[in-house]
């Protein structure tokens, strides 16, 4: 299994949810609504889930082995961090490009 694309769909700044991600596997299968969540100790990846009739959330899609989960989480979190760094660099570039305010001559 190879992750062939990771798209950061949405960045969230409030609450524990940090991002919503889509992943393409082997250029054949897309998995949407993967969440990047701020846990107590670290960021982690939560797979897409839905609430069953008993009110319990169950994963719709999930890795079978611990190694597959680790591989997916590592790649998704790396892409998330890259996306944040790119957003910050763009913001700094925009700030630097803004003309400085000059006081009006009196």
């Amino acid at each position: 299994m190879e992750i062939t694309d990771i798209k950061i769909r949405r960045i969230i700044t409030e609450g524990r949810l940090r991002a919503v991600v889509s992943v393409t596997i082997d250029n054949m299968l897309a998995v949407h609504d993967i969440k990047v969540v701020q846990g107590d100790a670290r960021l982690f990846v939560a797979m897409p889930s839905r609430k069953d009739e008993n009110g319990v959330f169950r994963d719709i899609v999930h890795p079978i082995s611990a190694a597959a989960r680790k591989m997916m989480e590592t790649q998704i979190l790396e892409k998330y961090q890259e996306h944040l760094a790119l957003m910050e660099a763009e913001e700094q570039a925009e700030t630097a490009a803004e003309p400085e305010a000059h006081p009006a001559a009196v």
Side-chain angles (χ1 to χ4, degrees):
M1 175 182 85
E2 178 185 348
I3 295 177
T4 50
D5 191 29
I6 299 172
K7 288 188 172 67
I8 307 297
R9 297 287 182 191
R10 188 171 29 149
I11 296 288
I12 296 101
T13 57
E14 295 181 17
R16 293 170 59 114
L17 180 61
R18 296 290 182 236
V20 178
V21 178
S22 292
V23 171
T24 304
I25 300 169
D26 293 334
N27 285 319
M28 297 175 71
L29 176 69
V31 180
H32 301 290
D33 295 330
I34 297 171
K35 294 168 185 68
V36 175
V37 179
Q38 179 63 58
D40 293 335
R42 65 178 185 89
L43 286 171
F44 66 92
V45 172
M47 298 308 290
S49 62
R50 68 175 175 198
K51 194 185 297 188
D52 69 12
E53 61 277 353
N54 297 321
V56 176
F57 282 93
R58 304 234 182 249
D59 286 350
I60 297 169
V61 174
H62 61 89
I64 297 299
S65 69
R69 179 173 293 278
K70 182 173 175 57
M71 184 264 304
M72 287 187 75
E73 184 170 77
T74 298
Q75 290 184 34
I76 290 168
L77 293 178
E78 284 174 1
K79 184 70 169 188
Y80 170 72
Q81 295 296 342
E82 288 172 15
H83 188 82
L84 288 181
L86 181 60
M87 285 176 52
E88 185 175 325
E90 288 173 354
E91 187 176 295
Q92 288 176 355
E94 287 174 8
T95 302
E98 291 176 4
E100 291 184 28
H102 297 289
V106 180

